[in-house]
Amino acid sequence: MRSQSATPSPALCAPTSEEADPRHRRGRRHQLGCIVLIALCAVLAGARSLTAIGQWAANAPQHTLARLGARTTCPALGIRRPPSPATIRHVLTGLDPDALTRMITAADLAVLVVDGKCVRGSRTRRDKAMHLLTAMTPAGHVAAQVRVADKTSEIDALAGLLQGLDIEGSVISADALHTQTDTAKHLVAERKAHYVLTAKANQPTLFAQVKALPWGQAPTLFSTSERGHGRCETRTVKVLTAPKIAFPYAKQVLRVHRWVKDLATGRVRRTYAYVVTSLSAEQAGPERLAGLVRGHWRIEALHHVRDVSFGEDASRVRTGHGPQNMAMLRNLAIPLLAGLGMSSIPEAVRWVSYEAFTRPLGLLRIP
């Protein structure tokens, strides 16, 4: 049996207020933290729906229910009973997503990657598909997640996403959609944080300026090469100071050249990515900047995993806060599974499911 990664696992803690629980006070037979832990363990073992989570709970053995804090129905014999599928469904569809986020122990916020994703399966005849904006660490641990209100955009939701987080001195990485002057001013002037933002044609003036910099004369300061997934990829990084860039607090501009060769066809693809940052050369050299950019690409890969390995877009969970809370559980499960050292997330899910009632518990620190 393969050993688990030494990477610390997130813990779940009971909420500090009973107001977070969507159930009526007189009808609470199971602790809220227990229900959330059961749901997370079920997702780790491959559950994709509220029905599957209920089935996992109904079949969990006594020693698992004891570790998860399920209530005792027969103290003399120590018999425990899991929450019913109806209770699990009621909690996951009614629980405020902000309360669920607060139940997750805060991760290191030195670097936060902001990225949005549409949960296509949540679409109904009346409502559009839910769009979620998430702030995660480069390792994939969720710090915050909000729903983007209808008729608005991720740009409007960013301030609300970061509102409850202490990001002073943190580095916020986001894609080109968030490369806005107001966003840069908000992060640096108001929140005392730094930004790493992609520059693309949606900001034509900025894009023209960074593209016109003397990159041909600039030396390559950092490079990496990787081989895998049927391709060979080389990245070279050039960095220039940005004294004339018309963007608030910009101090450096980064250009990443990606050279990708398909090993099967021999086809070569070249792309350039431009990034502006408020970090000075003393605060972040080329290697660190390259790592920050690479970290954002990993987050996009995690969203791909939510679709491919967890079937998020095919999910028919649509009631109440169910889609958002299920997405949060998947966000939490993915880095836990990735830390097992398997060759893929599906392999890790299968490995967990072989002993579905003990192995998920080993991934968590249960207070």
Side-chain angles (χ1 to χ4, degrees):
M1 182 177 67
R2 302 185 189 185
S3 61
Q4 297 176 6
S5 171
T7 302
S9 300
L12 290 183
C13 304
T16 57
S17 173
E18 293 183 356
E19 296 178 358
D21 199 323
R23 298 169 294 173
H24 191 281
R25 184 174 300 178
R26 297 182 60 183
R28 300 175 188 175
R29 298 180 179 178
H30 302 272
Q31 293 184 354
L32 180 60
C34 168
I35 297 174
V36 173
L37 278 172
I38 285 176
L40 176 59
C41 287
V43 171
L44 285 166
R48 296 189 175 188
S49 65
L50 299 177
T51 300
I53 293 174
Q55 292 173 341
W56 190 95
N59 289 280
Q62 289 295 304
H63 64 86
T64 297
L65 295 176
R67 290 196 62 186
L68 293 175
R71 73 185 184 98
T72 302
T73 56
C74 182
L77 299 177
I79 297 177
R80 296 177 181 264
R81 177 174 296 179
S84 68
T87 296
I88 294 173
R89 180 180 296 273
H90 178 52
V91 167
L92 291 183
T93 57
L95 179 62
D96 186 341
D98 291 338
L100 178 59
T101 302
R102 290 194 298 269
M103 294 176 68
I104 302 172
T105 301
D108 181 10
L109 304 183
V111 178
L112 284 178
V113 179
V114 176
D115 201 16
K117 183 182 182 301
C118 180
V119 185
R120 293 181 176 85
S122 63
R123 181 180 180 180
T124 66
R125 292 182 178 180
R126 292 183 177 181
D127 302 318
K128 296 180 179 179
M130 182 178 297
H131 195 93
L132 302 177
L133 186 64
T134 307
M136 294 182 279
T137 68
H141 299 302
V142 178
Q145 179 174 273
V146 296
R147 179 177 181 176
V148 178
D150 294 341
K151 299 182 180 180
T152 63
S153 69
E154 290 184 18
I155 302 172
D156 304 310
L158 179 62
L161 174 73
L162 302 174
Q163 184 175 5
L165 303 177
D166 182 9
I167 61 170
E168 183 174 347
S170 300
V171 178
I172 310 301
S173 173
D175 58 22
L177 180 63
H178 296 282
T179 308
Q180 309 287 334
T181 56
D182 289 344
T183 298
K185 292 177 182 178
H186 172 73
L187 291 175
V188 178
E190 299 179 25
R191 301 301 305 274
K192 310 302 180 185
H194 292 285
Y195 64 76
V196 175
L197 301 172
T198 303
K200 288 187 177 180
N202 65 315
Q203 290 287 346
T205 301
L206 175 63
F207 185 66
Q209 288 180 333
V210 298
K211 194 174 181 181
L213 290 173
W215 297 109
Q217 303 172 23
T220 297
L221 300 178
F222 182 73
S223 64
T224 59
S225 295
E226 295 180 2
R227 188 184 182 95
H229 304 287
R231 64 186 183 185
C232 179
E233 181 173 349
T234 299
R235 303 180 198 89
T236 58
V237 175
K238 294 185 176 183
V239 182
L240 294 172
T241 57
K244 298 181 180 179
I245 296 299
F247 195 75
Y249 306 103
K251 293 184 179 179
Q252 295 189 89
V253 179
L254 176 77
R255 191 187 78 170
V256 181
H257 173 217
R258 299 177 65 191
W259 182 92
V260 183
K261 180 178 181 180
D262 189 306
L263 298 178
T265 64
R267 182 180 178 182
V268 174
R269 179 169 54 91
R270 299 173 182 266
T271 60
Y272 291 92
Y274 298 92
V275 178
V276 292
T277 179
S278 61
L279 292 165
S280 65
E282 292 76 17
Q283 293 171 317
E287 184 173 355
R288 187 190 179 197
L289 290 176
L292 291 171
V293 174
R294 183 64 173 165
H296 192 95
W297 292 338
R298 291 194 183 102
I299 294 302
E300 294 175 351
L302 285 176
H303 283 175
H304 177 73
V305 170
R306 275 168 51 181
D307 284 337
V308 175
S309 299
F310 287 88
E312 183 168 271
D313 280 350
S315 173
R316 291 298 179 262
V317 178
R318 298 170 176 172
T319 306
H321 297 302
Q324 191 167 346
N325 287 332
M326 286 295 293
M328 178 63 75
L329 292 175
R330 297 183 190 107
N331 282 334
L332 185 57
I334 290 172
L336 293 172
L337 293 168
L340 293 176
M342 302 293 178
S343 61
S344 66
I345 293 296
E347 181 183 353
V349 171
R350 290 192 297 269
W351 184 82
V352 169
S353 68
Y354 296 153
E355 295 180 16
F357 308 117
T358 56
R359 288 182 176 175
L361 301 176
L363 303 180
L364 303 170
R365 299 196 311 273
I366 303 175

